[in-house]
Amino acid sequence: MFAIYLGCLLLLLYYLYQKTYSYWSSRGVPFDKPFLIFGSFFDIAARKKHIFHVLREIYDKFDTPYVGIYILNQPTLIVRSPEILKRILVKDFDKFLNRKVASNESVDPIAAHTLFSSKDQIWRGIRAKISPVFTSGKMKLMLPLMKECAEDLNAYLTKRAGETLEFRNVTKKYSVDIISSCAFGVNSYCLKDDNSEIMQVATKLLDLKSFVRNFSVFSFFFVPKFVDIFRVTFLDKTASDYLIKMFQSTIAERQKKNIVRNDLIDLLSNLKDNEKFTDEYKFDDIKMAAQALTFFSAGNDTTSLTISFTLYELALNPTIQDRLRQEVQETFAKHGDFTYDAIYEMKYLDMVVNETLRKYPLTSFLNRKSASKYTFEETGFTLDEDVAILIPVAGLHFDPEYFPDPEKYDPERFSEENKNKIQPYTYLPFGDGPRSCIGQRFGLLVTKMALAYTLKDFAFERTAATAVPLVFNSGSFFMQTKTGLHMKVVKL
Ligand code: HEM
């Protein structure tokens, strides 16, 4: 009898497997063979590999314009072809406006009103309002606040000259100081105080160490239904509540004392004060706090990792480091300061940062979904409505056809002469099209300020503690390394 039950159970499982995993084969789309229950994401769910490696492996296995995969039982299309990417990101943007991520106002009102996860008209309303906050004019006004933090970073290194430091942590202190100052109007003193409360909050916000946090963020990106069922939030709840309170008390204090600082809080408050009756999207306290929280969560690890990966590569490539330092010192001597124009004058600095973002594309992928049925002209294939699309930035950035010798750190790829040869839609560290990163200008400025202020006075050296090659922490959201980024800091 037992054998019959077992046989029936196995037959049922086989039937379910076939039914679930025949979506792509029945549509003639090449697909990555799914592993039972987890599809292509077993190694990610089991924390065996970082998504950066999984996407590269799938990308490298195929040479077709797109590949079907399953994330658990959900069909997802990985698009490899730059021509089709242009359609998705720019030409037919309206048909791929949203990301397939969770957005449930009753479960997570903050996430539902962030630029990143909001949908359709809500996204359009927020984006239109927020875009003017990131113009170069506004960045210039914020520069003095950034400069204070860059000087603190310089002072921090001066005190520790001669030591080998873990730089991911050092640069995180710097970026949390800047984002707290610019987005929350408070000094977090992370560089001055090892026990800064805000640093602890920033670490907790997107920390995926616990199973619950890992599950919440995985569900947010890949199985939005679980967010509805298990009512989990994208950001850690205690950390985000702390930041919301901080944001609201700063606004109240500013109104009482009429303080003007030209930071993101002022800009958000002005947007709210100047709202018209006819505006489709109107801010309230929670919606404003959601924007500040987005800036905080999207803006600190991205910039701090870009800075620390750059310093790491400079330590491994002393010739590049020397050339960059020469440019930084000459520019400083010419302007007597790192003004906005001075930062943008440094062409080699720009090349170096671009190459860091190629080799370390922090988010590894972009995501979108189809708003309706859509036929790709190139192949005649019709994609169903509401199918998740993953854009494998990690795969594109390491494709030798677009970036020869991709493991090599080579800023020359982005020289005046070479950068125009890069095929469009193969270099996507900030995404592309109307839904690309809104904080790009801010992030680049923060990154370049840190590099200018440190390279002017310090050298960064490889030691026995410097991990080569790097191993990524499979349980991290951005590309975090397992062992940190250790370099010796030498005062010049
Ligand atoms: C080096 C720094 C940064 C990198 C590499 C980066 C990367 C990205 C990427 C890849 C996306 C997705 C784009 C797409 O889907 O096409 C994105 C979106 C976004 N980023 Fe950044 N980012 C950085 C800094 C920042 C900063 C400093 C902020 C805010 C202060 C920010 C705010 C956002 C927001 C709000 C979105 C969602 C935009 C939307 O959906 O309309 N980012 N970022």
Side-chain angles (χ1 to χ4, degrees), residues 70-87:
Y70 299 90
I71 300 178
L72 307 197
N73 65 346
Q74 182 182 283
T76 299
L77 193 72
I78 295 196
V79 179
R80 297 176 76 262
S81 147
E83 289 76 24
I84 296 185
L85 288 178
K86 182 178 179 184
R87 286 188 182 285

Side-chain angles (χ1 to χ4, degrees), residues 122-139:
I122 296 192
W123 172 77
R124 286 186 195 278
I126 306 176
R127 182 93 190 192
K129 288 210 157 172
I130 299 287
S131 292
V133 167
F134 290 97
T135 59
S136 48
K138 303 282 168 31
M139 294 300 108

Side-chain angles (χ1 to χ4, degrees), residues 77-293:
L77 193 72
I78 295 196
V79 179
R80 297 176 76 262
S81 147
E83 289 76 24
I84 296 185
L85 288 178
K86 182 178 179 184
R87 286 188 182 285
I88 293 172
L89 294 172
V90 180
K91 271 176 86 178
D92 288 329
F93 170 73
D94 280 355
K95 314 240 164 42
F96 302 96
L97 170 78
N98 297 325
R99 299 191 172 93
K100 187 143 184 159
V101 295
S103 185
N104 181 332
E105 186 146 15
S106 73
V107 176
D108 191 351
I110 289 289
H113 284 278
T114 61
L115 262 181
F116 192 82
S117 43
S118 56
K119 311 248 188 275
D120 302 312
Q121 286 311 102
I122 296 192
W123 172 77
R124 286 186 195 278
I126 306 176
R127 182 93 190 192
K129 288 210 157 172
I130 299 287
S131 292
V133 167
F134 290 97
T135 59
S136 48
K138 303 282 168 31
M139 294 300 108
K140 278 184 192 171
L141 291 176
M142 258 177 257
L143 197 74
L145 299 175
M146 296 183 185
K147 225 173 103 177
E148 268 175 37
C149 301
E151 279 163 0
D152 286 348
L153 175 62
N154 189 298
Y156 181 94
L157 296 182
T158 302
K159 265 197 213 149
R160 290 157 181 84
E163 290 178 29
T164 295
L165 303 175
E166 199 291 288
F167 269 85
R168 220 178 41 184
N169 190 32
V170 175
T171 56
K172 179 149 179 146
K173 287 170 190 268
Y174 161 78
S175 63
V176 171
D177 276 351
I178 289 202
I179 210 85
S180 303
S181 172
C182 292
F184 287 84
V186 297
N187 291 318
S188 53
Y189 297 121
C190 298
L191 282 162
K192 289 185 175 153
D193 172 8
D194 282 343
N195 299 314
S196 158
E197 208 175 332
I198 299 186
M199 184 71 179
Q200 288 164 25
V201 170
T203 308
K204 217 171 164 198
L205 203 60
L206 256 179
D207 182 14
L208 307 191
K209 273 191 202 119
S210 75
F211 170 77
V212 174
R213 292 296 305 133
N214 209 22
F215 174 79
S216 309
V217 173
F218 184 88
S219 304
F220 175 84
F221 272 104
F222 302 119
V223 202
K225 261 189 214 133
F226 284 177
V227 168
D228 303 339
I229 298 169
F230 297 101
R231 304 185 74 78
V232 287
T233 55
F234 178 59
L235 297 172
D236 177 271
K237 185 89 174 62
T238 40
S240 58
D241 284 350
Y242 177 99
L243 290 170
I244 292 169
K245 260 198 203 139
M246 194 168 86
F247 177 76
Q248 289 171 343
S249 66
T250 308
I251 296 245
E253 197 189 329
R254 290 219 181 154
Q255 279 165 353
K256 214 161 96 193
K257 298 188 185 159
N258 257 332
I259 301 168
V260 177
R261 258 179 113 236
N262 290 318
D263 55 12
L264 293 166
I265 288 207
D266 281 355
L267 296 168
L268 285 174
S269 306
N270 289 344
L271 284 176
K272 186 167 187 281
D273 295 344
N274 294 324
E275 264 170 356
K276 297 187 200 70
F277 178 66
T278 48
D279 282 2
E280 262 188 49
Y281 188 87
K282 294 200 181 62
F283 280 132
D284 59 20
D285 287 354
I286 279 293
K287 291 175 188 168
M288 291 235 301
Q291 308 320 314
L293 259 175

Side-chain angles (χ1 to χ4, degrees), residues 99 115 123 127 299 302 306 363 368 429-432 435 437 442:
R99 299 191 172 93
L115 262 181
W123 172 77
R127 182 93 190 192
T302 47
T306 307
T363 49
R368 299 286 189 272
F430 293 101
D432 210 328
R435 199 134 197 191
C437 176
F442 185 96

